Amino acid sequence: MDAGAAEQAAADLLTALGLDLTDENLTETPRRMAQALIEMTSGADFALTTFPNDEGYDELVLVRDIPLQSVCEHHMLPFVGIAHIGYLPGDRILGLSKFARMVDLHARRPQTQERLTKRIADHLQEALQPHGVGVVIEAEHTCMSLRGARAAGARTTTSALFGRLRDDPRSRAEFLALTRSTP
């Protein structure tokens, strides 16, 4: 990542939009804007902490309401929401804090919500080889709420289901019922 080039590009964009960057209130805006975009679109990788499933636990493990923020690749505007991630353990189980780290890792790049949902599910499937994986993301897109349709409060829901959470109707229904928001 080239922070200097990003700052210059931000200055060029703001100038092209008619902003006076000599104004005392705006002189640092290109640097802050570049740093904000760098922060929102990059993140460090991490190692998944897994443990043997010595007890043979085979019921659903679900972490709900994991906060997420990402950037829409079509408008470079944020979308913000929550992720629900569940899996049916196989030989290994995942450290619970890693669910939030996984969401943060995959959310830190410009993308669509559909792609983000699938990337998280793929990552969990590849890392654990569980009997089933489910990811549901609910988010509000500022490209839709602040511009265009200006539909503030509209939320988009996406899902990715693998294994028994996709193929077994009872497991699928249990997962989806537990991910539904409560009032």
Side-chain angles (χ1 to χ4, degrees):
M1 204 142 328
D2 186 341
E7 183 176 340
Q8 183 58 56
D12 292 343
L13 174 61
L14 295 170
T15 300
L17 292 173
L19 297 176
D20 176 8
L21 298 184
T22 62
D23 180 317
E24 183 179 350
N25 295 305
L26 298 175
T27 57
E28 292 297 313
T29 298
R31 180 190 56 76
R32 288 191 297 265
M33 182 177 162
Q35 287 303 311
L37 287 169
I38 289 168
E39 181 181 324
M40 289 190 303
T41 60
S42 62
D45 203 354
F46 69 97
L48 284 179
T49 305
T50 67
F51 305 95
N53 187 6
D54 293 334
E55 293 77 27
Y57 187 82
D58 63 356
E59 295 293 326
L60 181 63
V61 175
L62 176 69
V63 179
R64 287 179 36 111
D65 300 329
I66 301 167
L68 76 84
Q69 57 188 22
S70 192
V71 176
C72 165
E73 67 185 16
H74 300 132
H75 298 96
M76 293 302 291
L77 290 171
F79 61 93
V80 178
I82 55 174
H84 313 295
I85 304 175
Y87 75 107
L88 296 168
D91 294 333
R92 311 240 355 129
I93 57 175
L94 183 63
L96 294 176
S97 71
K98 301 309 179 195
F99 287 95
R101 291 187 185 279
M102 187 180 299
V103 169
D104 187 58
L105 171 73
H106 291 288
R108 290 199 175 260
R109 48 181 67 104
Q111 64 200 319
T112 64
Q113 182 174 326
E114 295 87 342
R115 186 178 311 126
L116 173 60
T117 305
K118 185 154 180 347
R119 281 186 174 160
I120 294 168
D122 286 340
H123 191 168
L124 190 55
Q125 179 68 28
E126 291 168 15
L128 289 180
Q129 298 298 306
H131 297 292
V133 169
V135 176
V136 171
I137 293 179
E138 304 170 45
E140 182 172 346
H141 293 250
T142 57
C143 58
M144 186 172 148
S145 62
L146 298 178
R147 56 155 304 279
R150 290 196 168 98
R155 296 177 64 83
T156 300
T157 302
T158 51
S159 66
L161 304 171
F162 297 148
R164 286 197 346 233
L165 292 181
R166 180 182 184 104
D167 300 332
D168 176 44
R170 289 179 302 174
S171 296
R172 180 185 182 104
E174 176 187 16
F175 173 75
L176 292 175
L178 290 173
T179 62
R180 287 195 180 88
S181 295
T182 55

